[in-house]
């Protein structure tokens, strides 16, 4: 599935707004994410750091949670970080894979000289699945 440029621009704009609200007092590494749902709605998330660092949740997973709470199905996620080309962390890749390896992942930075497009399958070619194909 090809995403229209107007859709990509809409997603990055939403992700930038979310990024502005990132709670990142420890790393100052502010990230925003916007998920496009199958029905056209957009759900956003920002990173949420915690003094107990292991409790920190990334923008991508927060946006996915908002999508799921609304009963929507994610088909793409746009991520805005401090630098271009910073792909989602391993935990987020695995959580994104839950919604299909063909889910689009769009990456850019706060000041956009451009963006990158991947699928979750590109980023996580051997994801864990609850039911794996049987070995032969
Ligand atoms: Zn992450």
């Amino acid at each position: 599935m090809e995403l229209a440029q107007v859709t990509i621009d809409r997603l990055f704009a939403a992700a930038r707004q979310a990024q502005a609200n990132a709670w990142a007092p420890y790393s100052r590494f502010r990230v925003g994410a916007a998920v496009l749902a199958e029905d056209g709605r957009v759900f956003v998330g920002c990173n949420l750091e915690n003094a107990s660092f292991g409790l920190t949740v990334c923008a991508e997973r927060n946006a996915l949670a908002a999508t799921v709470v609304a009963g929507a199905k994610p088909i793409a996620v746009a991520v805005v970080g401090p630098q271009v080309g910073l792909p989602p962390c391993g935990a987020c890749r695995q959580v994104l894979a839950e919604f299909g390896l063909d889910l689009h992942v769009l990456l850019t930075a706060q000041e956009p000289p451009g963006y990158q497009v991947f699928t979750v399958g590109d980023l996580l070619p051997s994801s864990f699945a609850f039911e794996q194909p049987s070995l032969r």
Side-chain angles (χ1 to χ4, degrees), residues 27-95:
S27 72
R28 310 244 183 251
F29 194 89
R30 304 168 76 85
V31 181
V35 170
L36 174 65
E38 199 171 49
D39 62 11
R41 289 184 288 170
V42 172
F43 300 92
V44 297
C46 61
N47 53 329
L48 174 59
E49 292 185 346
N50 190 274
S52 177
F53 294 160
L55 299 179
T56 294
V57 182
C58 301
E60 298 93 319
R61 279 180 280 152
N62 281 328
L64 278 173
T67 306
V68 170
V69 164
K73 180 181 185 300
I75 59 171
V77 59
V79 184
V80 176
Q83 303 164 242
V84 172
L86 291 174
C89 76
C92 286
R93 292 178 199 205
Q94 180 63 47
V95 173

Side-chain angles (χ1 to χ4, degrees), residues 64 74-77 88-106 117-128:
L64 278 173
I75 59 171
V77 59
C89 76
C92 286
R93 292 178 199 205
Q94 180 63 47
V95 173
L96 288 164
E98 183 77 15
F99 300 97
L101 297 179
D102 58 347
L103 188 135
H104 288 76
V105 180
L106 314 168
V117 181
F118 300 92
T119 65
V120 173
D122 294 333
L123 298 173
L124 191 65
S126 297
S127 62
F128 173 81

